[in-house]
Amino acid sequence: MGEDSNNKVVLERKITLWNGVGIIVGSIIGSGIFLSPAGVYTYTESVGFSLVVWCLSGVLSTLGALCYAELGVLITRSGGDYAYLLEAFGPLVGFLRLWIALFIIRPTTQAIVALTFAEYAAKPFFPNCVIPQDLIKLLGAICLCLLTAINCISTKLSMKVQDIFTAGKLIALISIIAMGVYGMIISDTNNFDDAWSGDYDAKKICYAFMQGLFAFGGWNYLNFVTGELQDPYKNLPRAIYIGMPIVTIIYCLTNLAYFAVLTGAEMKASIAVAVTFGNKIFGSLAWLIPIFVALSTFGGVNGVIFTSARLFATGANEGHLPSFFALFHVTKQTPIPSLIFSCLVSLIMIMFGNAFELVNYFSQALWLSIAACVGGLIWMRKTKPDAPRPIKVNIIIPWIFLIICLGLVLTPSFTEPMNLAINILITLSGVPFYFLCVKWKNKPAAYKKVSKSVEKFCQILFSSVFIDEESH
Ligand code: LEU
């Protein structure tokens, strides 16, 4: 770490290429691959088409990640989608993305993955009965607080957690794949007979993709922390090129393994496919599966926490969030106020909200904002044609991604417009706050005094200083 002439901390770039791969793979593999296969199958009712949905979800996510590789080397600051929308479409659009991330997308994602962790961590202790809801909430809260503390203590430590758990979840999925192969060998499975008969309804297909894409969610997380990535021009695209094929191949093989062992009816009836799979084929080692899921989700929560805090810090640097969000600990170089705030909102969500219901509402907003970023890439090719682009994807890639993404998100809205309307309303609810908090510069002296005091208080309490993004 260094200090520049303005007494601002210059952040060291601590994230290596392999940490970057760990962030991508470790953020993507969370709860989805253990739960969503049932959802995909329920909507398609076809083994063959379910597998197609998984493969195409991987391909679509990879196309998106390629577009984000271009965006990430064009705009190398942290903040991901927020930074790109800000650059492409200006401060209001950027602020609205930050707004939904701050209060809905990030806390809900953290809450969901933490609650899934809690459920599976508790499962071995309640093999034959229902786990009390309060215990699940308590364990979820402990998971969030513990990981937030680790993230406050050191970036290196949180990267270690990410790497270890990523390795753990890869081992878990590889064991599932191996057991699937074993299952195919020992039993004469006919689960793949009649693989293509199914329910090919456009709306249901879109929902099936949404389930698959949730499990692939997280492919853009490294873009949220590019400001701390070593040699981002080389390492961002490399991490994407290494990470995305690994996840896509593993996910497709894992689904093949599930289908090799479970019948369609078993798949549909299962709340947690991996557990049903384990009970059927792991024998006396079936208890391992909930532990696998717990480990995987624990690492997943770490990825969301790590990247959320950097997003909020970038927002504060831009003047879109209170300045204390941009404070980093003077020696540990971690964004402590931002981490604590993000943990608190998630805790509130766990205690009082229903994160699982909310996910239905925000998934459209999330995908629309990803589409907007890719639209921004196309737009910036026109508005900033000469900006250096160490990576320039073929223009056909963003167009294909944009069209498919909009098709998937908007098709269900023709028959169920309410969800989209709620998404748009939630996003637009940020507009008054933008004008009040960001646009209005001549705020009363009393307001300025209070906010300065809060800033000073946080600086002292968390031994923090502002970082200098420019010096990266
Ligand atoms: N892909 C992650 C999971 O399956 C979710 C994502 C939104 C971080 O848990």
Side-chain angles (χ1 to χ4, degrees):
M1 181 198 72
E3 241 177 65
D4 74 357
S5 47
N6 302 321
N7 280 336
K8 279 185 168 183
V9 167
V10 180
L11 272 188
E12 265 176 40
R13 292 182 177 272
K14 288 186 179 148
I15 305 175
T16 63
L17 168 66
W18 289 104
N19 291 151
V21 175
I23 290 180
I24 294 182
V25 176
S27 304
I28 295 180
I29 306 175
S31 54
I33 188 61
F34 302 103
L35 309 173
S36 303
V40 173
Y41 181 76
T42 306
Y43 285 120
T44 60
E45 302 213 14
S46 150
V47 174
F49 199 66
S50 289
L51 291 171
V52 169
V53 167
W54 280 97
C55 293
L56 289 184
S57 297
V59 172
L60 188 64
S61 302
T62 306
L63 291 184
L66 289 176
C67 298
Y68 271 57
E70 173 171 332
L71 286 166
V73 292
L74 176 67
I75 302 155
T76 52
R77 68 190 300 199
S78 289
D81 300 28
Y82 164 68
Y84 311 147
L85 289 176
L86 191 69
E87 193 73 29
F89 301 119
L92 176 59
V93 179
F95 178 84
L96 292 180
R97 175 65 178 87
L98 189 63
W99 173 255
I100 51 168
L102 186 66
F103 290 111
I104 302 180
I105 296 179
R106 290 302 182 128
T108 320
T109 309
Q110 278 169 203
I112 287 177
V113 191
L115 287 172
T116 313
F117 158 79
E119 188 150 359
Y120 286 92
K123 190 80 199 142
F125 303 100
F126 296 84
N128 301 316
C129 54
V130 180
I131 309 165
Q133 275 305 308
D134 287 343
L135 179 69
I136 293 181
K137 288 185 173 184
L138 182 67
L139 279 178
I142 292 174
C143 161
L144 276 174
C145 294
L146 184 66
L147 285 170
T148 301
I150 290 174
N151 272 275
C152 287
I153 292 168
S154 134
T155 301
K156 279 226 166 92
L157 188 60
S158 46
M159 282 301 95
K160 233 185 207 113
V161 168
Q162 190 71 9
D163 291 347
I164 293 170
F165 282 85
T166 300
K169 55 184 88 174
L170 286 176
I171 292 171
L173 289 178
I174 290 169
S175 327
I176 290 180
I177 295 168
M179 290 311 276
V181 174
Y182 170 71
M184 262 201 247
I185 295 169
I186 57 160
S187 75
D188 208 2
T189 179
N190 55 3
N191 294 352
F192 295 101
D193 297 350
D194 209 14
W196 297 101
S197 72
D199 187 357
Y200 294 97
D201 171 80
K203 190 172 79 187
K204 286 189 179 168
I205 290 175
C206 292
Y207 284 144
F209 270 104
M210 279 297 155
Q211 294 274 333
L213 289 172
F214 172 80
F216 275 98
W219 51 261
N220 55 348
Y221 278 15
L222 187 57
N223 288 65
F224 284 89
V225 297
T226 29
E228 285 170 73
L229 179 65
Q230 292 170 0
D231 200 354
Y233 290 122
K234 278 200 190 129
N235 287 338
L236 177 70
R238 274 187 196 166
I240 290 172
Y241 299 148
I242 299 171
M244 290 312 293
I246 292 181
V247 181
T248 308
I249 292 169
I250 287 192
Y251 271 19
C252 292
L253 292 179
T254 306
N255 273 281
L256 254 172
Y258 288 148
F259 281 117
V261 172
L262 300 177
T263 63
E266 284 170 327
M267 197 87 164
K268 266 167 102 178
S270 168
I271 308 170
V273 182
V275 174
T276 317
F277 175 90
N279 290 341
K280 219 170 153 185
I281 193 118
F282 269 61
S284 57
L285 291 180
W287 54 271
L288 270 175
I289 294 278
I291 294 179
F292 282 169
V293 184
L295 293 179
S296 173
T297 43
F298 191 78
V301 178
N302 189 56
V304 194
I305 289 180
F306 184 83
T307 52
S308 300
R310 273 65 185 177
L311 164 65
F312 302 149
T314 309
N317 267 328
E318 200 56 39
H320 284 177
L321 284 179
S323 55
F324 65 82
F325 278 99
L327 290 169
F328 278 64
H329 190 278
V330 67
T331 54
K332 302 184 199 310
Q333 299 216 318
T334 50
I336 297 180
S338 192
L339 282 162
I340 293 179
F341 178 87
S342 146
C343 178
L344 285 178
V345 183
S346 303
L347 287 179
I348 293 172
M349 193 71 91
I350 284 189
M351 295 306 160
F352 306 109
N354 186 342
F356 289 92
E357 243 168 50
L358 263 173
V359 76
N360 293 330
Y361 287 118
F362 83 66
S363 63
Q364 270 183 324
L366 175 65
W367 280 96
L368 285 177
S369 77
I370 289 175
C373 287
V374 174
L377 180 157
I378 298 169
W379 179 243
M380 284 188 285
R381 288 273 184 101
K382 291 213 164 13
T383 55
K384 301 179 200 297
D386 301 324
R389 287 179 175 78
I391 291 182
K392 201 168 177 184
V393 292
N394 189 317
I395 194 70
I396 196 88
I397 294 180
W399 275 113
I400 293 177
F401 180 86
L402 194 63
I403 292 166
I404 299 179
C405 186
L406 288 177
L408 285 177
V409 177
L410 298 178
T411 305
S413 307
F414 288 114
T415 47
E416 288 169 4
M418 209 45 201
N419 218 344
L420 182 65
I422 292 174
N423 267 287
I424 292 174
L425 269 181
I426 292 176
T427 308
L428 292 183
S429 66
V431 174
F433 288 89
Y434 174 75
F435 285 101
L436 198 68
C437 304
V438 180
K439 265 281 178 219
W440 183 25
K441 296 284 179 227
N442 291 327
K443 296 197 181 69
Y447 172 90
K448 287 185 181 159
K449 213 171 147 196
V450 170
S451 72
K452 252 285 144 293
S453 312
V454 173
E455 186 187 302
K456 271 260 142 3
F457 177 73
C458 287
Q459 257 180 308
I460 295 165
L461 184 67
F462 302 119
S463 309
S464 296
V465 286
F466 290 106
I467 57 152
D468 188 2
E469 272 197 279
E470 298 310 314
S471 319
H472 277 168

